[in-house]
Amino acid sequence: MRVELESVHRGYRVRRPAETGGRLTRLVRRVPGEVRALRGIDLRVDAGEAVGYIGLNGAGKSTTMKLVAGILTPTAGRVTVDGRDPHRHRRRLAAELGYLAAQRASLWWDLPVRDSYELVRRVYAIEPAVFRRRRDHLVARLDIGRHLATPVRELSLGNRTRAELVGTLLHAPRLLLLDEPTIGLDIFAREAICDVLRATRQDTAPTILMASHDLRDVEAICDRIVMIDDGRLVYDGKLDELRALGGGHRRLVVHHAAGHRLPAPPGLERVAGEATTVTTYAFRQGELPGELLATFFSDPRVDDVRIEAPSLESLIKDLYLRGT
């Protein structure tokens, strides 16, 4: 399914405490105002694409998800899903949409997980044999079989998120909206969810829009990043293109015995650090002398040598600092 946002604005009316007057007046009186969550967003996600949607808290990620799902309508601009207004066609879209949000429950809170899945089958009119095959496959992949008889409200956060993901995927949605799907989860739950989402991409190729603070998840599932800041898009491109913004900068990290002094070769800048057993050099890709590496590898007082590229987190931080 193709998703398009054209010059989309979205504001919220709020009532803030008064900034003038006495202490009691400021405490009681509320002044009307507006929060602008989105400021002219232009975004296109083609069918089958997986896009990581990243930004700081309050940047507008969840608002965008709710607009695409048809829960909200834009203050100005246009949102379409396969050429249709998602708010006006919410019922039709619901049959093809999967929406998983960290703060939004999709399963019935007081029912056992198994019964919730049966209700999902009836809501989406899934043929029983297809339903059982999908359910059993997803339950096994996410290792929640022992929790099927447990009410959703009694599950831990990690198990509840796994159960929610199964419910989200049962009707094989063509559009997946994932709003912080792994927030607060341990490494095992996070990896299980990422594995299933990768497999889903390969099997059914849904369109995926994934908001996340964990860039490891974005790297694992998506091949394009859209970055939003204060309601405006500040970056839209492939992961490889984002890494290229690092300009080919690399770091040579050498672990050695305490007090061992390493050479200061020309063309390499030594990076200041506090550790007495680690020396780091900065260089540009292609400018590291091979004989220097041979010297380090043959040094009996050197324990380890590695070359590091800039992390995705550091590149994104640089984008924010530059105001790109």
Side-chain angles (χ1 to χ4, degrees), residues 170-189:
L170 279 174
H171 64 292
R174 294 174 56 212
L175 172 61
L176 266 178
L177 301 179
L178 307 171
D179 193 356
E180 301 287 357
T182 62
I183 191 168
L185 303 187
D186 61 49
I187 186 171
F188 299 107

Side-chain angles (χ1 to χ4, degrees), residues 182-228:
T182 62
I183 191 168
L185 303 187
D186 61 49
I187 186 171
F188 299 107
R190 187 182 63 80
E191 287 182 351
I193 287 170
C194 288
D195 286 345
V196 167
L197 290 174
R198 280 195 298 266
T200 300
R201 277 202 74 187
Q202 295 175 353
D203 295 341
T204 60
T207 304
I208 297 176
L209 185 60
M210 176 180 179
S212 180
H213 280 94
D214 196 323
L215 295 175
R216 294 170 299 175
D217 297 347
V218 173
E219 287 188 280
I221 297 162
C222 306
D223 44 30
R224 175 182 163 200
I225 279 186
V226 173
M227 183 160 60
I228 185 172

Side-chain angles (χ1 to χ4, degrees), residues 18-50:
E19 297 181 359
T20 59
R23 182 178 300 177
L24 182 59
T25 299
R26 294 197 303 271
L27 179 64
V28 175
R29 187 180 169 211
R30 293 292 184 266
V31 179
E34 184 183 30
V35 173
R36 298 179 64 190
L38 297 180
R39 305 165 185 256
I41 294 290
D42 288 296
L43 174 65
R44 173 172 174 156
V45 182
D46 289 326
E49 266 196 298

Side-chain angles (χ1 to χ4, degrees), residues 252 268 283-293 307:
L252 176 66
L268 270 69
F283 67 98
R284 292 184 64 84
Q285 189 173 8
E287 296 181 359
L288 179 63
E291 58 270 19
L292 177 64
L293 285 177
I307 297 174

Side-chain angles (χ1 to χ4, degrees), residues 129-192:
V130 173
F131 165 76
R132 287 193 296 270
R133 184 174 67 249
R134 288 179 187 161
R135 181 200 59 195
D136 294 348
H137 173 72
L138 290 167
V139 164
R141 287 294 303 269
L142 287 162
D143 191 26
I144 59 166
R146 62 189 181 278
H147 301 297
L148 291 180
T150 305
V152 173
R153 58 182 165 78
E154 296 181 10
L155 296 174
S156 66
L157 175 61
N159 287 326
R160 187 168 72 244
T161 304
R162 297 185 202 213
E164 295 274 2
L165 180 58
V166 173
T168 300
L169 297 177
L170 279 174
H171 64 292
R174 294 174 56 212
L175 172 61
L176 266 178
L177 301 179
L178 307 171
D179 193 356
E180 301 287 357
T182 62
I183 191 168
L185 303 187
D186 61 49
I187 186 171
F188 299 107
R190 187 182 63 80
E191 287 182 351

